[in-house]
Amino acid sequence: MTSLRDRAYQELRRRILTIELAPGVRLVERDLAADLEVSRIPLREALRLLEADGLVLQVPHRGALVAPFGPADVRDLFDVREALEALAARLTAERRDEAGLARLRERLAAARAATAAGDEAGIAAANAGFHADIVELAANPLLSGLMRPLEARTHWLFRLTAQRDPAQQCAEHEELYEAIAAGDVEKTAALAHEHVASGRETSLRLAEQWAHLDVDPAAVAAKRRRKRTGPALPG
């Protein structure tokens, strides 16, 4: 049975990852508790889990807000992903099996379908899932533990950078899959690094447009905003 904490966590996580709750938005416990029909205790536990995911920022004596996600945050995320995702892809190519390859093919099919439909949320979910599957299929618990805190932020990145060419991302994922399926370890690692790195400059340029994300967390928290959604992101 799903606990109240888990239900609140999953729903708030969904709202944050789909930008229903945008970066920088104040999270008012009283309003959220009423909206989610939970007491403040499971809500606070859910917020702590989201903080561990890097999606919520707790400001001492002020409360919580959806974490800002500006250019510096994007740069830091790419620095880590370029190194660790190349390693994950290398290990996946070494340890590939048919079950794992089938999972990756399912992600690719989902991404193609979402791209054809122009479904930005579906594209983000499928692409982030493809990367997460490669980490899991690497079968290295230490690596998985290091990457787990990045999964939500990677999904967030894909959603916030929906202006990037989804067809190109699909093509790059398919090329990466072919290298994994062939067991070409060196090519897989090189493609994985190149694929992640190729999104850096575009993502940083888009991040510069998110002017409302460059916030003083204490100032945002002090505003005690009660809206469930923030200002629309630039299109």
Side-chain angles (χ1 to χ4, degrees), residues 5 8 21 27 31 47 98 100 151 159 165 169 172 214 228:
R5 179 203 67 180
L21 289 169
L27 299 172
D31 295 347
L47 291 174
E98 185 49 44
E151 288 180 9
R159 187 68 180 86
D165 184 354
Q169 292 186 69
E172 291 177 3
D214 296 329
R228 281 179 52 186

Side-chain angles (χ1 to χ4, degrees), residues 108-159:
L108 291 173
R112 286 194 296 269
T115 298
D119 177 3
E120 291 185 355
I123 292 169
N127 287 341
F130 180 81
H131 285 260
D133 282 347
I134 287 177
V135 172
E136 184 175 345
L137 294 172
N140 184 309
L142 179 57
L143 177 60
S144 295
L146 292 171
M147 290 294 293
R148 192 167 296 115
L150 305 184
E151 288 180 9
R153 276 168 278 189
T154 300
H155 188 147
W156 208 6
L157 179 70
F158 278 116
R159 187 68 180 86

